[in-house]
Amino acid sequence: MIFVPRTFRMIRLGAVHMLLAAACCFTVFPFLWMAVSSLKTKAEVMAADAFLPSTPQYGNYLEIVFHSPIPRYLANSLLVAVSVAAIQVICCSFFAYGVTFMRIRGRDMLFRLVLFTYMVPTAVTYIPCYIILSRLGLLDSYQGLILSNGVSVLGIFLLRQAFEAVPMETMEAARMDGAGHFRILTGVVFPMTRPSFVTFILLSFINTYNSYMWPSLITDTPKLSLVSQGLRRFLYEGGAYGTQWSLVMAAGTVTVVPLLILFTVAWPLIVRGITDFGCKG
C-alpha cells in the first residue's frame, strides 16, 4: 500500500514529461526546419525526401548579410524596439508609481479605467490613431511608430502589482530622509522590483520587434520597414514562383537570432519576474 501512491506519482510525472516533450517538439520543429532549410539549395527545400542538406550552403547566409536589405530591416527593428521599450518603461513606471503610492483622489478608478482599455481590440484603435498621427505629420516616420507605442497597459498592470509588494515602512523611511518621488522610484522601488522591470522591458522589446500590422499601416517607405515587413518584401520581391526559398529561410533564421540571444541571456530574470508577479498578484 505504501508503494502504490509512489508508483502512481511516478506514472503521472512520466506522463506529464511525455506530454511536455511532445509539445516542445511541435513547437521547436518549425524553427529547426527553417534553420536546416537555410543550408539547402532551392531544389532541396522543395523536395520532401531528405531532411538534412547534402552539402551545407553557407553562402546563403553570406548572401543575406552582405547582399540583401535584411541587415537594414534588422537594424530598424532593433532601433524601434529599444526606443519603444525605453519610453514604455518610463511612462508606465511613473503611472504605476502614481496610482500605487501617491494619494490621488480616484486613483483606483483611474487604474481600472486604464485596465478597461486592455479589453478593447487593438484593431479598433488603428483608425483613430492613424488620423491622429496624420494630423501631427508623423506618418511614415520612426517618430510616429515609436510615440504611438509609448504606453503599455500590460506594463502598467505588471509594475503596479510589483510596486504593491514594496513595504510601506521602507517608503516612509525614505520620505523621512527627505527623498522625493523620483528619488524613491529610482533608489528604492526600482532596486526592489528589478525582475519585474526586466520582464516588462523584454516583453515590450519582443512585442515591438515582432509587430507587423501597425507598422505596415503607418510606414510605406521600404527603407523604414521593420524586420517583419522586410521579410514579406523579401519573400515576394521575386514573385510567387521565383522565390528563393533557401535565402528566405536564411533571412528568417538571421532575424530570429537576436531574440534567441536575448532570451538565453535574460532567461533567469524572466522566470524570476514572472514568478514574483504570480506570487504577488
Side-chain angles (χ1 to χ4, degrees), residues 9-270:
R9 286 196 300 269
M10 292 179 62
I11 295 175
R12 184 177 61 179
L13 185 62
V16 170
H17 279 78
M18 291 179 61
L19 181 62
L20 292 177
C24 181
C25 290
F26 278 108
T27 304
V28 173
F29 180 76
F31 299 98
L32 179 62
W33 182 83
M34 178 179 66
V36 172
S37 298
S38 67
L39 298 174
K40 295 181 178 180
T41 62
K42 180 180 178 180
E44 288 177 329
V45 173
M46 302 303 295
D49 55 346
F51 179 73
L52 298 176
S54 57
T55 302
Q57 304 295 318
Y58 299 107
N60 292 338
Y61 286 97
L62 297 178
E63 180 71 20
I64 291 299
V65 174
F66 296 106
H67 301 97
S68 76
I70 295 299
R72 180 180 181 85
Y73 300 147
L74 187 62
N76 293 345
S77 289
L78 293 176
L79 172 64
V80 173
V82 170
S83 301
V84 168
I87 294 177
Q88 282 189 359
V89 74
I90 293 173
C91 295
C92 295
S93 61
F94 285 172
F95 186 90
Y97 180 91
V99 296
T100 305
F101 300 115
M102 299 181 69
R103 297 177 181 177
I104 303 173
R105 180 177 297 180
R107 67 178 187 180
D108 292 335
M109 182 61 66
L110 179 62
F111 178 66
R112 293 190 182 97
L113 180 63
V114 171
L115 285 185
F116 173 76
T117 62
Y118 195 68
M119 314 293 283
V120 178
T122 305
V124 175
T125 65
Y126 285 163
I127 294 178
C129 289
Y130 185 93
I131 294 175
I132 292 174
L133 292 179
S134 177
R135 293 179 177 178
L136 294 175
L138 296 178
L139 290 178
D140 201 23
S141 66
Y142 287 140
Q143 294 87 340
L145 190 57
I146 293 172
L147 292 178
S148 61
N149 292 282
V151 178
S152 169
V153 179
L154 177 62
I156 292 174
F157 177 72
L158 177 62
L159 294 182
R160 183 179 185 268
Q161 295 299 105
F163 289 177
E164 285 186 335
V166 176
M168 293 305 299
E169 295 80 4
T170 305
M171 302 293 295
E172 293 297 333
R175 293 192 185 100
M176 292 180 63
D177 290 338
H181 291 301
F182 183 77
R183 176 59 181 168
I184 293 176
L185 175 61
T186 58
V188 178
V189 178
F190 173 73
M192 298 183 67
T193 58
R194 185 179 290 109
S196 296
F197 271 93
V198 173
T199 301
F200 169 46
I201 291 173
L202 293 175
L203 292 176
S204 174
F205 179 91
I206 294 172
N207 182 65
T208 305
Y209 186 89
N210 291 331
S211 61
Y212 172 76
M213 183 61 69
W214 179 240
S216 299
L217 290 175
I218 66 173
T219 56
D220 295 325
T221 306
K223 68 178 182 179
L224 298 179
S225 296
L226 302 188
V227 70
S228 53
Q229 303 165 266
L231 282 176
R232 187 180 184 279
R233 294 179 188 273
F234 186 75
L235 175 63
Y236 290 109
E237 66 181 3
Y241 296 98
T243 303
Q244 298 295 325
W245 289 109
S246 55
L247 296 181
V248 172
M249 296 303 167
T253 304
V254 168
T255 59
V256 171
V257 168
L259 296 181
L260 292 178
I261 295 175
L262 183 64
F263 183 79
T264 303
V265 173
W267 169 247
L269 290 175
I270 295 176

